[in-house]
Every structure is written in structure tokens, then in C-alpha cells.
């Protein structure tokens, strides 16, 4: 089975785990049939079945959590890249003389506010990552009180 898993491009880790659990269950059920009338053996096998099910459920939960974390990181990276591209574009235009210093700062502030709004409103990004971004934003706001005033006056 392991060779089949390694050779297959289509079988996922979850499918492999599920398949292995099914094989283990069949094996244990066959052992129960062979044990027949021995109650002690039957109870041991039933205990092994229960342990296998618990282990499978824990592995599935772990894989689900890993998938969610990966999706969260991908969503955050996508928004972060867009933010960086917008900052770069505005900066290039400013240094080409296409905007005043005040316009440039306002554009940066608008881009930053949009970035925070996107991150904090995204359902794909984990709550831990959102808390990290809020903390970062609050630290920046303490360093630059003008930004806070502008945000309050805009609302």
C-alpha cells in the first residue's frame, strides 16, 4: 500500500490515512471473527478498533488544521503582495515627480488602510494572524499619532 501511495500522484495524505484505517479495521474485524467465542480476545480487539478510530480522527483533525493554516498563510501572502505592489507603484510615481509629498503620503495612508481592512475582513485569514496585524497597526499608530487623527476624522 505504501508503494501505491508513493507512486500515485492523485492519492492525498488523507485518502492514504483513510485507506490504511479501513485496512486496519478489516484486519481487526477478521481477527474478531476468528476469535469467535473468546470474550476477552473480543474485548481486546474492540479496544484496538476504538483506538484506531480515535487515532484516525486525531490525524484528520491535525490535517484539517494544517490545511486551514496553509490556506490562511496563502490568503495573507496574496493580500501582502498586492499591498507591496501598490506601495511600489505609488512610490515610483512620486519619485517620477507625478505627485506632491502630501499626495504621496495620503496615497500611502489610503493603501495602508485598505490593506488593513482587507486583512481584517478576510474570512480566510486566521484570527491569530489578524491579532498579529492589529498589534502591528496599534504599535505604528502609537509611533505616528497623526495617522490616528486622520482615521478618526475620516469616520
Amino acid at each position: 500500500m505504501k508503494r501505491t501511495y508513493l507512486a500515485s500522484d492523485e492519492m492525498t495524505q488523507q485518502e492514504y490515512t483513510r485507506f490504511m484505517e479501513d485496512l486496519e479495521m478489516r484486519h481487526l474485524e477478521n481477527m474478531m471473527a476468528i476469535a469467535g467465542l473468546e470474550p476477552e480476545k473480543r474485548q481486546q480487539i474492540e479496544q484496538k478498533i476504538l483506538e484506531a478510530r480515535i487515532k484516525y480522527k486525531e490525524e484528520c483533525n491535525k490535517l484539517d488544521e494544517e490545511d486551514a493554516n496553509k490556506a490562511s498563510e496563502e490568503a495573507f501572502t496574496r493580500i501582502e503582495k498586492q499591498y507591496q505592489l501598490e506601495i511600489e507603484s505609488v512610490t515610483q510615481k512620486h519619485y517620477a515627480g507625478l505627485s506632491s509629498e502630501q499626495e504621496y503620503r495620503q496615497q500611502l495612508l489610503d493603501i495602508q488602510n485598505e490593506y488593513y481592512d482587507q486583512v481584517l475582513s478576510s474570512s480566510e485569514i486566521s484570527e491569530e494572524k489578524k491579532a498579529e496585524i492589529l498589534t502591528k497597526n496599534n504599535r505604528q499608530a502609537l509611533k505616528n499619532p497623526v495617522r490616528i487623527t486622520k482615521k478618526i476624522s475620516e469616520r
Side-chain angles (χ1 to χ4, degrees):
M1 181 60 204
K2 288 181 182 177
R3 287 187 194 129
T4 305
Y5 170 68
L6 292 173
S8 173
D9 290 337
E10 296 178 14
M11 184 179 273
T12 65
Q13 177 69 31
Q14 283 181 319
E15 289 170 337
Y16 173 75
T17 303
R18 190 175 302 120
F19 188 76
M20 290 304 293
E21 190 230 348
D22 288 343
L23 286 177
E24 179 72 15
M25 290 296 188
R26 286 186 202 145
H27 172 69
L28 293 173
E29 287 170 357
N30 288 339
M31 288 178 62
M32 282 177 50
I34 292 170
L37 301 175
E38 299 175 36
E40 187 177 306
K41 278 282 192 191
R42 185 174 187 88
Q43 190 175 24
Q44 287 176 350
I45 293 169
E46 286 174 352
Q47 184 63 32
K48 284 185 179 182
I49 290 173
L50 181 59
E51 288 170 4
R53 285 184 176 158
I54 291 170
K55 182 180 176 185
Y56 173 71
K57 185 171 179 126
E58 289 170 351
E59 287 176 10
C60 286
N61 289 340
K62 181 180 173 186
L63 289 172
D64 289 345
E65 186 176 326
E66 289 172 0
D67 289 345
N69 288 339
K70 183 179 178 183
S72 173
E73 283 300 317
E74 288 172 356
F76 177 73
T77 300
R78 188 175 55 251
I79 293 172
E80 181 76 17
K81 284 181 182 179
Q82 181 63 35
Y83 170 70
Q84 294 297 331
L85 290 172
E86 289 178 19
I87 293 290
E88 184 180 324
S89 173
V90 167
T91 302
Q92 286 176 353
K93 288 178 184 176
H94 176 67
Y95 286 119
L98 300 176
S99 65
S100 69
E101 188 67 28
Q102 184 178 359
E103 291 170 332
Y104 172 65
R105 289 183 185 268
Q106 184 60 49
Q107 288 172 338
L108 290 178
L109 183 61
D110 292 344
I111 291 170
Q112 184 179 29
N113 288 338
E114 177 63 26
Y115 165 73
Y116 287 126
D117 288 344
Q118 283 181 354
V119 168
L120 297 176
S121 66
S122 174
S123 61
E124 294 178 295
I125 296 177
S126 70
E127 293 303 315
E128 292 83 15
K129 193 66 168 178
K130 289 178 183 181
E132 180 183 319
I133 295 298
L134 278 173
T135 302
K136 180 181 174 184
N137 187 26
N138 289 338
R139 284 185 191 144
Q140 287 179 345
L142 290 174
K143 290 179 184 178
N144 189 357
V146 174
R147 192 174 296 165
I148 295 173
T149 307
K150 285 186 179 181
K151 285 183 182 178
I152 292 172
S153 65
E154 290 176 2
R155 293 180 185 190

